[in-house]
Amino acid sequence: MYRFLLTPRWLSGTALAVAAVAVCVWLGTWQLGRFEDKVSSHQEISKTVDDAGSARPLGELLGADRPQVTTDTVGRAVTVSGTFDQEHQLLVPNRVLDGKQGYYVLTPLRTGDGRTVAVVRGWAPGAPAEGAAAAAPAGEVTVTGRLQAGESSGSNGAVAGGLPAGQLGTINQAALVNKLSYDGWYDGWVSADAAPAGLTPVPTVQPQGGDGLTLRAFQNLGYTLEWFVFGGFVVFMWFRLVRREAEAEQDRALGLDPVLE
């Protein structure tokens, strides 16, 4: 009854179905792998954020061989020594902490090697106002805090521009260079563990899309299910066509073929 499967038409059709199922399984597996990679990235970043480790000098984490803040270094405890540039303190608006709107107080710290690091000394509630934040301490200081990734416009309340003088919309190297033309900036920024009176220390901020579990990650999971469903549909249709052809063969063997007039 199933000898028709050995005919050229059915052999080619079966080969095409097998190839289609193989492609669906491969694409589904690939999408699943991408989702698992993003879940792994999320777990690694969460572990880093939860366990800052012992404080290390900033220059050791952001050296010449690895100058950028990565998922391995974001949230790490660091120390950095230098002198605050009191005349160029910046206020960073549209920052939310514990559900409240406020702003960061950012003060550049000039280090002994001639480079500059952006230090967020804390968060204050309300709208930024000139002179509202406490002045940075004078003289040589050592700051202990957590290393943060540079922001992108649209993330964590960051904006591209259009702010009054003395305010910064986005904390990243490009924006800082536009405001203050120092020779060299460290990548990212440091949120100080100890904040002066009136300010609250800023916890580690996840980089944009950086914890892995974004909408795009779950899109990968959705694509995985879609490809597996497509593969299953191909198998279902093949079996349905085989069954229908087998029933037709059986009817012909019993002389039950419909008569065409």
Side-chain angles (χ1 to χ4, degrees):
M1 186 170 59
Y2 291 97
R3 285 179 295 179
F4 63 88
L5 290 173
L6 300 178
T7 62
R9 181 170 70 90
W10 274 96
L11 287 174
S12 59
T14 300
L16 182 61
V18 170
V21 170
V23 170
C24 290
V25 170
W26 177 77
L27 289 172
T29 303
W30 177 65
Q31 291 288 354
L32 181 60
R34 295 196 63 186
F35 175 74
E36 290 176 341
D37 289 342
K38 291 175 181 179
V39 171
S40 177
S41 175
H42 163 75
Q43 293 173 339
E44 290 176 2
I45 293 176
S46 298
K47 181 179 179 181
T48 299
V49 170
D50 294 338
D51 181 14
S54 57
R56 295 173 56 187
L58 180 63
E60 290 185 5
L61 291 181
L62 300 182
D65 58 332
R66 191 171 59 172
Q68 305 294 319
V69 179
T70 65
T71 55
D72 295 330
T73 53
V74 67
R76 291 292 184 185
V78 296
T79 61
V80 57
S81 299
T83 305
F84 280 120
D85 183 355
Q86 298 174 315
E87 296 182 0
H88 295 103
Q89 182 162 274
L90 298 170
L91 305 181
V92 187
N94 303 320
R95 296 302 185 269
V96 176
L97 185 64
D98 294 333
K100 298 179 181 178
Q101 189 78 16
Y103 60 93
Y104 294 162
V105 177
L106 185 154
T107 311
L109 183 71
R110 305 299 306 274
T111 64
D113 61 4
R115 302 178 68 185
T116 307
V117 57
V119 176
V120 171
R121 298 170 49 231
W123 172 92
E130 186 175 356
E140 184 80 11
V141 297
T142 297
V143 175
T144 301
R146 290 198 178 199
L147 185 59
Q148 313 268 23
E151 298 178 333
S152 300
S153 180
S155 66
N156 304 320
V159 295
L163 296 174
Q167 295 187 23
L168 182 70
T170 306
I171 309 176
N172 59 36
Q173 280 186 320
L176 289 165
V177 168
N178 288 335
K179 285 285 186 180
L180 303 171
S181 56
Y182 294 144
D183 292 335
W185 286 88
Y186 277 102
D187 185 47
W189 47 287
V190 173
S191 58
D193 288 341
L199 298 180
T200 302
V202 176
T204 300
V205 179
Q206 296 282 13
Q208 184 180 21
D211 72 347
L213 293 184
T214 61
L215 177 61
R216 187 175 297 275
F218 287 101
Q219 284 179 340
N220 291 133
L221 185 60
Y223 294 149
T224 298
L225 297 176
E226 285 182 3
W227 284 116
F228 287 159
V229 169
F230 290 158
F233 181 73
V234 171
V235 173
F236 168 76
M237 289 302 299
W238 185 86
F239 275 108
R240 183 174 180 181
L241 291 173
V242 168
R243 181 177 179 181
R244 188 172 66 178
E245 185 68 16
E247 290 174 348
E249 287 286 335
Q250 188 177 29
D251 289 344
R252 283 191 288 269
L254 295 174
L256 300 177
D257 274 346
V259 178
L260 298 178
E261 298 183 355

